[in-house]
Amino acid sequence: MKFLDRVYERARQRKARIVLAEGEDPRVQEAGRRIERESLGSVQLLTRTTHDARRTMVSLLRSRRPDKFPTDTAASQALEHPLTLGACLVGVGDADVMLGGAMYTSAETIRAALWAVGTAPGIATVSGAFYMIKDDRVLTFADAAVCPEPEPSQLADIALTSARERRLIVEDEPVVAFLSYSTKGSAIGPRIDRVVAGMAELRAREPDFAFDGELQLDAALVPAVAARKAPGSPAGGRANVLIFPDLDAGNIGYKLAERLGGWTALGPILQGLARPISDLSRGATADDIVNTAAIAILQTRRG
Protein backbone atom coordinates (compact mmCIF):
# COMPACT_ATOMS: atom_id res chain seq x y z
CA MET A 1 0.00 0.00 0.00
CA LYS A 2 1.35 3.43 -0.95
CA PHE A 3 2.12 6.04 1.69
CA LEU A 4 -0.80 8.33 0.86
CA ASP A 5 -3.22 5.38 0.76
CA ARG A 6 -2.07 4.42 4.26
CA VAL A 7 -2.56 8.00 5.43
CA TYR A 8 -6.13 8.02 4.12
CA GLU A 9 -6.92 4.63 5.65
CA ARG A 10 -5.66 5.66 9.08
CA ALA A 11 -7.32 9.09 8.90
CA ARG A 12 -10.72 7.47 8.24
CA GLN A 13 -10.48 5.69 11.57
CA ARG A 14 -10.31 9.02 13.47
CA LYS A 15 -13.76 10.27 12.38
CA ALA A 16 -12.39 13.80 12.67
CA ARG A 17 -14.34 17.05 12.72
CA ILE A 18 -12.71 19.25 10.09
CA VAL A 19 -13.17 23.00 9.69
CA LEU A 20 -12.47 24.54 6.28
CA ALA A 21 -12.22 28.24 7.04
CA GLU A 22 -12.64 29.61 3.52
CA GLY A 23 -15.94 28.04 2.60
CA GLU A 24 -16.68 30.52 -0.18
CA ASP A 25 -13.67 29.40 -2.25
CA PRO A 26 -14.66 26.89 -4.99
CA ARG A 27 -11.48 24.85 -4.37
CA VAL A 28 -12.35 24.57 -0.70
CA GLN A 29 -15.97 23.62 -1.48
CA GLU A 30 -14.83 20.87 -3.83
CA ALA A 31 -12.31 19.64 -1.26
CA GLY A 32 -15.01 19.55 1.41
CA ARG A 33 -17.20 17.35 -0.78
CA ARG A 34 -14.29 15.03 -1.52
CA ILE A 35 -13.25 14.81 2.14
CA GLU A 36 -16.73 13.57 3.01
CA ARG A 37 -16.89 11.26 -0.03
CA GLU A 38 -13.57 9.76 1.09
CA SER A 39 -15.03 9.36 4.62
CA LEU A 40 -12.11 11.27 6.10
CA GLY A 41 -14.40 13.10 8.52
CA SER A 42 -17.25 15.55 8.86
CA VAL A 43 -16.69 18.99 7.33
CA GLN A 44 -17.82 22.43 8.47
CA LEU A 45 -17.46 25.15 5.82
CA LEU A 46 -17.18 28.67 7.18
CA THR A 47 -18.59 31.56 5.14
CA ARG A 48 -19.38 35.23 5.62
CA THR A 49 -22.80 34.22 6.87
CA THR A 50 -21.30 32.02 9.58
CA HIS A 51 -21.77 33.83 12.87
CA ASP A 52 -20.76 31.64 15.77
CA ALA A 53 -18.93 33.97 18.14
CA ARG A 54 -19.94 32.01 21.19
CA ARG A 55 -19.02 33.07 24.67
CA THR A 56 -16.55 30.19 25.02
CA MET A 57 -14.50 31.42 22.05
CA VAL A 58 -14.54 35.00 23.28
CA SER A 59 -13.32 33.76 26.65
CA LEU A 60 -10.66 31.63 24.97
CA LEU A 61 -9.17 34.59 23.11
CA ARG A 62 -9.33 36.88 26.11
CA SER A 63 -7.68 34.34 28.41
CA ARG A 64 -4.97 33.36 25.95
CA ARG A 65 -4.14 36.86 24.68
CA PRO A 66 -5.42 39.56 27.06
CA ASP A 67 -2.96 41.98 25.47
CA LYS A 68 -4.65 41.60 22.08
CA PHE A 69 -8.21 41.16 23.33
CA PRO A 70 -8.77 43.30 26.42
CA THR A 71 -12.56 43.36 25.95
CA ASP A 72 -15.33 41.04 24.78
CA THR A 73 -15.92 43.39 21.87
CA ALA A 74 -12.33 43.09 20.66
CA ALA A 75 -12.50 39.29 20.82
CA SER A 76 -15.88 39.19 19.07
CA GLN A 77 -14.55 41.38 16.29
CA ALA A 78 -11.55 39.07 15.83
CA LEU A 79 -13.91 36.13 15.46
CA GLU A 80 -15.41 37.75 12.38
CA HIS A 81 -12.27 36.65 10.53
CA PRO A 82 -12.79 33.06 9.28
CA LEU A 83 -9.28 31.93 10.21
CA THR A 84 -9.67 33.12 13.79
CA LEU A 85 -13.12 31.58 14.05
CA GLY A 86 -11.94 28.27 12.61
CA ALA A 87 -8.88 28.14 14.85
CA CYS A 88 -11.02 28.90 17.90
CA LEU A 89 -13.38 26.06 17.03
CA VAL A 90 -10.35 23.81 17.42
CA GLY A 91 -9.20 25.70 20.51
CA VAL A 92 -12.48 25.16 22.39
CA GLY A 93 -12.74 21.51 21.32
CA ASP A 94 -15.61 21.84 18.84
CA ALA A 95 -13.39 20.70 15.96
CA ASP A 96 -10.32 18.52 15.63
CA VAL A 97 -8.58 20.12 12.64
CA MET A 98 -8.74 23.50 10.88
CA LEU A 99 -7.41 24.22 7.40
CA GLY A 100 -6.99 27.77 6.14
CA GLY A 101 -4.85 29.92 3.91
CA ALA A 102 -6.24 29.18 0.44
CA MET A 103 -7.29 32.84 0.30
CA TYR A 104 -5.13 34.25 3.10
CA THR A 105 -1.42 34.30 3.87
CA SER A 106 0.57 31.82 5.92
CA ALA A 107 1.24 34.59 8.44
CA GLU A 108 -2.50 35.11 8.98
CA THR A 109 -3.07 31.37 9.42
CA ILE A 110 -0.23 31.03 11.92
CA ARG A 111 -1.34 34.12 13.84
CA ALA A 112 -4.85 32.71 14.23
CA ALA A 113 -3.39 29.39 15.36
CA LEU A 114 -1.18 31.03 17.97
CA TRP A 115 -4.11 33.03 19.32
CA ALA A 116 -6.41 30.02 19.53
CA VAL A 117 -4.26 26.99 20.42
CA GLY A 118 -0.66 28.15 20.91
CA THR A 119 2.44 26.04 20.59
CA ALA A 120 2.91 22.51 21.87
CA PRO A 121 4.36 22.00 25.37
CA GLY A 122 8.08 22.66 25.40
CA ILE A 123 8.06 24.11 21.89
CA ALA A 124 8.32 27.82 21.04
CA THR A 125 8.62 27.59 17.25
CA VAL A 126 6.00 26.98 14.57
CA SER A 127 7.54 25.47 11.46
CA GLY A 128 6.45 23.85 8.23
CA ALA A 129 7.39 20.40 6.93
CA PHE A 130 7.00 18.87 3.50
CA TYR A 131 6.55 15.14 3.20
CA MET A 132 8.46 14.25 0.05
CA ILE A 133 7.39 11.02 -1.61
CA LYS A 134 8.94 8.95 -4.38
CA ASP A 135 7.98 5.31 -4.85
CA ASP A 136 8.10 3.79 -1.35
CA ARG A 137 10.42 6.42 0.12
CA VAL A 138 9.22 9.29 2.33
CA LEU A 139 11.50 12.10 3.49
CA THR A 140 10.66 14.98 5.82
CA PHE A 141 11.98 18.40 4.74
CA ALA A 142 11.87 21.09 7.47
CA ASP A 143 11.67 23.97 7.86
CA ALA A 144 10.67 24.76 4.28
CA ALA A 145 7.82 27.19 4.94
CA VAL A 146 8.00 29.43 8.01
CA CYS A 147 11.31 30.44 9.67
CA PRO A 148 13.67 32.48 7.44
CA GLU A 149 16.79 32.36 9.64
CA PRO A 150 16.18 29.98 12.56
CA GLU A 151 18.23 30.55 15.68
CA PRO A 152 19.84 27.50 17.36
CA SER A 153 16.90 27.04 19.73
CA GLN A 154 14.52 27.20 16.76
CA LEU A 155 16.56 24.60 14.85
CA ALA A 156 16.27 22.34 17.91
CA ASP A 157 12.51 22.94 18.05
CA ILE A 158 12.17 22.20 14.33
CA ALA A 159 14.14 18.96 14.65
CA LEU A 160 12.16 17.83 17.71
CA THR A 161 8.75 18.56 16.22
CA SER A 162 9.70 17.07 12.85
CA ALA A 163 10.70 13.82 14.53
CA ARG A 164 7.55 13.69 16.66
CA GLU A 165 5.28 14.43 13.72
CA ARG A 166 7.00 11.85 11.53
CA ARG A 167 6.23 9.17 14.08
CA LEU A 168 2.56 10.15 13.96
CA ILE A 169 2.27 10.57 10.20
CA VAL A 170 4.73 8.10 8.66
CA GLU A 171 4.85 5.64 11.57
CA ASP A 172 8.55 4.91 11.38
CA GLU A 173 11.55 5.92 13.45
CA PRO A 174 12.95 9.36 12.66
CA VAL A 175 16.62 9.71 11.81
CA VAL A 176 17.44 13.42 11.80
CA ALA A 177 20.22 15.16 9.89
CA PHE A 178 21.11 18.82 10.43
CA LEU A 179 22.16 19.93 6.96
CA SER A 180 24.96 22.32 6.09
CA TYR A 181 27.45 23.08 3.35
CA SER A 182 29.99 21.48 5.70
CA THR A 183 30.36 17.93 6.98
CA LYS A 184 31.92 17.48 10.39
CA GLY A 185 34.09 20.58 10.32
CA SER A 186 35.13 20.46 6.66
CA ALA A 187 34.47 24.21 6.58
CA ILE A 188 34.08 26.98 9.13
CA GLY A 189 31.82 30.00 9.40
CA PRO A 190 28.91 31.54 11.32
CA ARG A 191 26.25 29.57 9.41
CA ILE A 192 27.94 26.33 10.39
CA ASP A 193 28.30 27.54 13.99
CA ARG A 194 24.53 28.12 14.12
CA VAL A 195 23.81 24.56 12.97
CA VAL A 196 26.27 23.10 15.47
CA ALA A 197 24.69 25.20 18.24
CA GLY A 198 21.24 23.96 17.21
CA MET A 199 22.45 20.39 17.57
CA ALA A 200 23.84 21.16 21.00
CA GLU A 201 20.46 22.61 22.03
CA LEU A 202 18.72 19.45 20.86
CA ARG A 203 21.23 17.20 22.59
CA ALA A 204 20.57 19.01 25.88
CA ARG A 205 16.89 18.04 25.59
CA GLU A 206 17.87 14.33 25.45
CA PRO A 207 15.70 13.34 22.48
CA ASP A 208 14.77 9.71 21.95
CA PHE A 209 15.75 9.52 18.28
CA ALA A 210 18.97 9.37 16.28
CA PHE A 211 20.36 12.65 14.97
CA ASP A 212 23.61 14.14 13.75
CA GLY A 213 25.19 17.09 11.95
CA GLU A 214 26.58 19.14 10.52
CA LEU A 215 26.14 17.03 7.37
CA GLN A 216 26.13 17.83 3.69
CA LEU A 217 23.10 16.43 1.87
CA ASP A 218 24.97 13.54 0.25
CA ALA A 219 26.51 12.54 3.58
CA ALA A 220 23.03 12.51 5.12
CA LEU A 221 21.44 10.34 2.42
CA VAL A 222 24.11 8.21 0.71
CA PRO A 223 25.75 5.47 2.82
CA ALA A 224 28.94 5.36 0.74
CA VAL A 225 29.45 9.12 1.10
CA ALA A 226 28.68 8.98 4.82
CA ALA A 227 31.23 6.21 5.32
CA ARG A 228 33.87 8.46 3.80
CA LYS A 229 32.86 11.88 5.13
CA ALA A 230 31.18 11.03 8.45
CA PRO A 231 32.24 7.55 9.58
CA GLY A 232 30.29 6.34 12.59
CA SER A 233 27.59 9.00 12.25
CA PRO A 234 24.24 7.88 13.76
CA ALA A 235 22.39 9.63 10.93
CA GLY A 236 24.83 9.63 8.05
CA GLY A 237 23.60 7.79 4.98
CA ARG A 238 20.24 6.88 6.48
CA ALA A 239 18.51 10.16 7.40
CA ASN A 240 14.79 10.47 6.74
CA VAL A 241 14.30 13.89 8.38
CA LEU A 242 16.32 16.71 6.86
CA ILE A 243 16.65 19.92 8.89
CA PHE A 244 17.63 22.78 6.60
CA PRO A 245 19.77 25.61 7.97
CA ASP A 246 17.43 28.33 6.67
CA LEU A 247 14.28 28.91 4.65
CA ASP A 248 16.18 29.61 1.43
CA ALA A 249 17.71 26.14 1.51
CA GLY A 250 14.49 24.42 2.57
CA ASN A 251 12.24 26.11 0.04
CA ILE A 252 14.69 25.72 -2.85
CA GLY A 253 15.49 22.17 -1.80
CA TYR A 254 11.93 20.86 -1.81
CA LYS A 255 11.18 22.54 -5.14
CA LEU A 256 14.30 21.06 -6.74
CA ALA A 257 13.30 17.61 -5.53
CA GLU A 258 9.74 18.12 -6.76
CA ARG A 259 10.39 19.76 -10.13
CA LEU A 260 13.62 18.06 -11.20
CA GLY A 261 13.71 14.90 -9.11
CA GLY A 262 10.14 13.78 -9.65
CA TRP A 263 9.25 13.70 -5.95
CA THR A 264 5.72 14.51 -4.77
CA ALA A 265 5.58 17.29 -2.17
CA LEU A 266 2.81 17.09 0.43
CA GLY A 267 2.48 20.20 2.54
CA PRO A 268 3.53 22.43 4.03
CA ILE A 269 2.23 20.80 7.19
CA LEU A 270 2.39 23.20 10.12
CA GLN A 271 4.07 21.69 13.16
CA GLY A 272 4.85 22.81 16.66
CA LEU A 273 1.24 23.79 17.45
CA ALA A 274 -0.71 22.40 20.38
CA ARG A 275 -3.49 21.19 18.04
CA PRO A 276 -3.64 20.67 14.27
CA ILE A 277 -4.12 23.78 12.18
CA SER A 278 -2.86 23.61 8.61
CA ASP A 279 -1.84 26.14 6.00
CA LEU A 280 -3.09 26.04 2.41
CA SER A 281 -1.32 29.07 0.96
CA ARG A 282 0.88 27.17 -1.55
CA GLY A 283 -1.53 27.71 -4.46
CA ALA A 284 -3.78 24.99 -3.09
CA THR A 285 -5.84 22.79 -5.39
CA ALA A 286 -8.69 20.61 -4.17
CA ASP A 287 -6.22 17.69 -4.24
CA ASP A 288 -3.77 19.61 -2.03
CA ILE A 289 -6.51 20.46 0.45
CA VAL A 290 -7.75 16.87 0.75
CA ASN A 291 -4.23 15.50 1.14
CA THR A 292 -3.37 18.13 3.75
CA ALA A 293 -6.56 17.35 5.66
CA ALA A 294 -5.73 13.64 5.73
CA ILE A 295 -2.24 14.31 7.09
CA ALA A 296 -3.46 16.90 9.60
CA ILE A 297 -5.98 14.41 10.98
CA LEU A 298 -3.07 12.16 11.95
CA GLN A 299 -1.64 15.03 14.02
CA THR A 300 -4.59 14.80 16.40
CA ARG A 301 -2.79 12.23 18.59
CA ARG A 302 -5.86 10.19 19.23
CA GLY A 303 -7.32 6.96 17.95
Side-chain angles (χ1 to χ4, degrees):
M1 184 182 295
K2 294 182 179 179
F3 168 69
L4 201 51
D5 293 332
R6 294 197 303 272
V7 167
Y8 274 48
E9 183 178 83
R10 292 167 53 220
R12 289 186 185 105
Q13 299 171 11
R14 305 293 179 94
K15 302 186 186 304
R17 300 162 298 167
I18 303 158
V19 173
L20 300 180
E22 296 134 319
E24 295 174 338
D25 187 299
R27 298 166 297 171
V28 173
Q29 293 169 3
E30 172 59 21
R33 290 189 290 268
R34 289 178 50 188
I35 288 169
E36 293 200 327
R37 282 203 304 269
E38 290 281 353
S39 300
L40 294 174
S42 59
V43 173
Q44 180 177 355
L45 290 172
L46 302 185
T47 68
R48 287 191 183 93
T49 59
T50 303
H51 295 290
D52 201 8
R54 288 171 294 176
R55 179 68 196 177
T56 51
M57 288 188 280
V58 169
S59 297
L60 174 73
L61 288 177
R62 293 201 62 191
S63 64
R64 286 193 49 78
R65 292 302 304 268
D67 57 325
K68 293 288 185 181
F69 309 109
T71 65
D72 286 1
T73 299
S76 294
Q77 288 174 345
L79 288 165
E80 293 176 7
H81 195 296
L83 292 181
T84 306
L85 176 59
C88 284
L89 285 168
V90 176
V92 300
D94 286 350
D96 301 306
V97 174
M98 191 274 274
L99 282 75
M103 298 167 57
Y104 296 95
T105 66
S106 297
E108 290 172 292
T109 305
I110 293 169
R111 181 170 60 243
L114 290 173
W115 286 348
V117 302
T119 53
I123 300 296
T125 307
V126 178
S127 57
F130 282 89
Y131 288 83
M132 307 298 296
I133 305 168
K134 191 170 186 180
D135 301 324
D136 293 329
R137 194 172 188 186
V138 182
L139 297 177
T140 303
F141 283 22
D143 178 5
V146 179
C147 299
E149 292 277 351
E151 296 296 324
S153 62
Q154 292 177 307
L155 285 171
D157 276 349
I158 292 164
L160 191 58
T161 54
S162 297
R164 289 173 176 172
E165 296 297 323
R166 186 176 178 94
R167 281 177 172 154
L168 290 171
I169 293 165
V170 187
E171 290 192 307
D172 64 3
E173 273 304 299
V175 180
V176 176
F178 285 75
L179 298 183
S180 173
Y181 65 86
S182 168
T183 295
K184 296 297 185 180
S186 65
I188 58 173
R191 290 183 176 272
I192 297 166
D193 293 343
R194 182 159 50 88
V195 172
V196 172
M199 267 202 359
E201 290 254 3
L202 180 62
R203 187 176 297 111
R205 301 187 196 185
E206 301 182 347
D208 61 347
F209 52 83
F211 69 96
D212 200 15
E214 82 276 15
L215 295 172
Q216 292 169 305
L217 181 66
D218 54 357
L221 296 178
V222 182
V225 176
R228 184 174 73 254
K229 290 186 174 182
S233 168
R238 63 188 195 96
N240 54 26
V241 177
L242 304 180
I243 305 303
F244 290 86
D246 56 44
L247 189 53
D248 276 341
N251 188 270
I252 292 168
Y254 100 77
K255 288 180 178 177
L256 281 172
E258 180 182 36
R259 303 300 182 183
L260 298 182
W263 291 69
T264 297
L266 300 179
I269 305 299
L270 292 183
Q271 52 184 27
L273 292 166
R275 300 189 67 182
I277 291 172
S278 288
D279 177 37
L280 301 173
S281 62
R282 194 176 65 108
T285 66
D287 284 343
D288 294 328
I289 297 168
V290 176
N291 290 340
T292 300
I295 292 172
I297 289 166
L298 300 184
Q299 294 178 294
T300 55
R301 292 174 173 81
R302 64 188 186 101

